[in-house]
Amino acid sequence: MHPFSKYFDHTLLKPDATSQDISNLVKEAAAYDFHSVCVSGCHLPLVSRLLEESSVKTACVVGFPLGASSSEVKCFETENALKDGADEIDMVVNIGMIKDSRFDAAGEEIKRIAEICHTKGVILKTIIETCLLNKEEIEMICRSAEAAGTDFIKTSTGFSTGGAKPEDIRLIRASVSPSVKIKASGGIRTLDDAITMINAGADRLGCSASVSIMEEYLLKNKERLPSSRNAASKDLL
């Protein structure tokens, strides 16, 4: 079982995020040894540079937050993100295709982007926006995404009408094989929220509240951050 800190993609996707905000995000991720920093594409060069000597990964969103750009645009956006140093891609699937029951077309888009990612050894997380889908639609797009080669199913952007729910995590888990992992994202603000999602089957958590959750975890378990991590985070900036 990996350390609790490694469940977290420490996330900042607000449109008004400044370079200083992103630098602070990176510093926090290094201090707490999170799995990754998840940002918009415009911030990738800065994040990649700051994390160059760190074990923390760099994740980038694509087609965010609506998923409604063309497949060609998403493919270009993915290629550009890989060029700028992304280790992982979080791509919003075309929700309209799902509502139209065009699961083959949605799967083809996922496949194109998965192939771009996997050529470079990069992980693809497919965001399906569970709050906009019914049970059957979630099941069908999960199966299509697995067939297309996605590495993760991710619940939510955090920018729609709702975030991750444990029942959605359990439904996703039942819809795909164990080789496909699950990222819960949206509305995870407390340690109880995080534990609930992990117990439901989440392998990764997308959070902007990662620091407060980790502080709650460390306090509850009477742990401290290793001083070497604090020193490493200071060296980044």
Side-chain angles (χ1 to χ4, degrees):
M1 183 177 178
H2 56 64
F4 184 65
S5 64
K6 289 302 186 183
Y7 277 99
F8 292 92
D9 288 347
H10 193 35
T11 303
L12 179 55
L13 296 166
K14 293 181 179 179
D16 59 348
T18 65
S19 296
Q20 187 59 57
D21 293 333
I22 298 298
S23 295
N24 291 340
L25 186 81
V26 171
K27 187 175 183 179
E28 290 167 347
Y32 288 89
D33 196 29
F34 293 137
H35 179 86
S36 80
V37 168
C38 185
V39 296
S40 300
C42 63
H43 298 299
L44 268 180
L46 172 62
V47 172
S48 297
R49 177 174 62 80
L50 293 175
L51 290 176
E52 191 171 5
E53 302 300 324
S54 171
S55 63
V56 177
K57 303 293 185 184
T58 302
C60 179
V61 292
V62 164
F64 196 88
L66 301 178
S69 48
S70 70
S71 295
E72 287 71 20
V73 169
K74 289 182 185 179
C75 288
F76 175 81
E77 197 175 352
T78 301
E79 290 167 346
N80 194 67
L82 302 190
K83 176 180 67 68
D84 285 341
D87 301 300
E88 302 186 354
I89 296 294
D90 290 38
M91 185 275 293
V92 188
V93 75
N94 188 310
I95 309 300
M97 287 181 180
I98 301 173
K99 303 305 290 185
D100 281 339
S101 298
R102 297 168 57 205
F103 298 104
D104 288 345
E108 182 59 32
E109 176 177 272
I110 297 166
K111 181 179 179 181
R112 290 178 66 183
I113 294 168
E115 287 173 349
I116 294 168
C117 290
H118 295 162
T119 297
K120 300 292 185 181
V122 167
I123 285 172
L124 173 63
K125 309 186 199 93
T126 300
I127 306 172
I128 63 171
E129 205 68 282
T130 50
C131 62
L132 300 180
L133 306 179
N134 62 38
K135 181 177 181 290
E136 181 181 2
E137 289 165 343
I138 291 172
E139 291 173 334
M140 292 296 291
I141 191 56
C142 284
R143 292 169 186 157
S144 294
E146 177 172 15
T150 196
D151 301 289
F152 277 77
I153 302 292
K154 178 176 171 182
T155 61
S156 322
T157 62
F159 281 70
S160 189
T161 58
K165 294 181 179 179
E167 56 267 33
D168 291 333
I169 301 295
R170 289 189 286 269
L171 178 57
I172 294 168
R173 183 74 281 158
S175 301
V176 296
S177 72
S179 63
V180 179
K181 296 182 179 181
I182 301 171
K183 178 175 173 180
S185 183
I188 303 170
R189 299 184 179 91
T190 67
L191 179 60
D192 283 346
D193 291 339
I195 296 299
T196 296
M197 296 304 166
I198 293 168
N199 287 341
D203 303 283
R204 193 85 61 81
L205 306 174
C207 299
S208 58
S210 319
V211 169
S212 61
I213 293 171
M214 273 302 300
E215 287 292 345
E216 190 179 355
Y217 172 84
L218 293 169
L219 181 64
K220 183 175 182 179
N221 290 278
K222 297 181 172 60
E223 295 181 21
R224 292 183 178 180
L225 286 176
S227 58
S228 59
R229 286 187 194 165
N230 284 318
S233 67
K234 291 175 184 176
D235 290 343
L236 282 172
L237 301 169

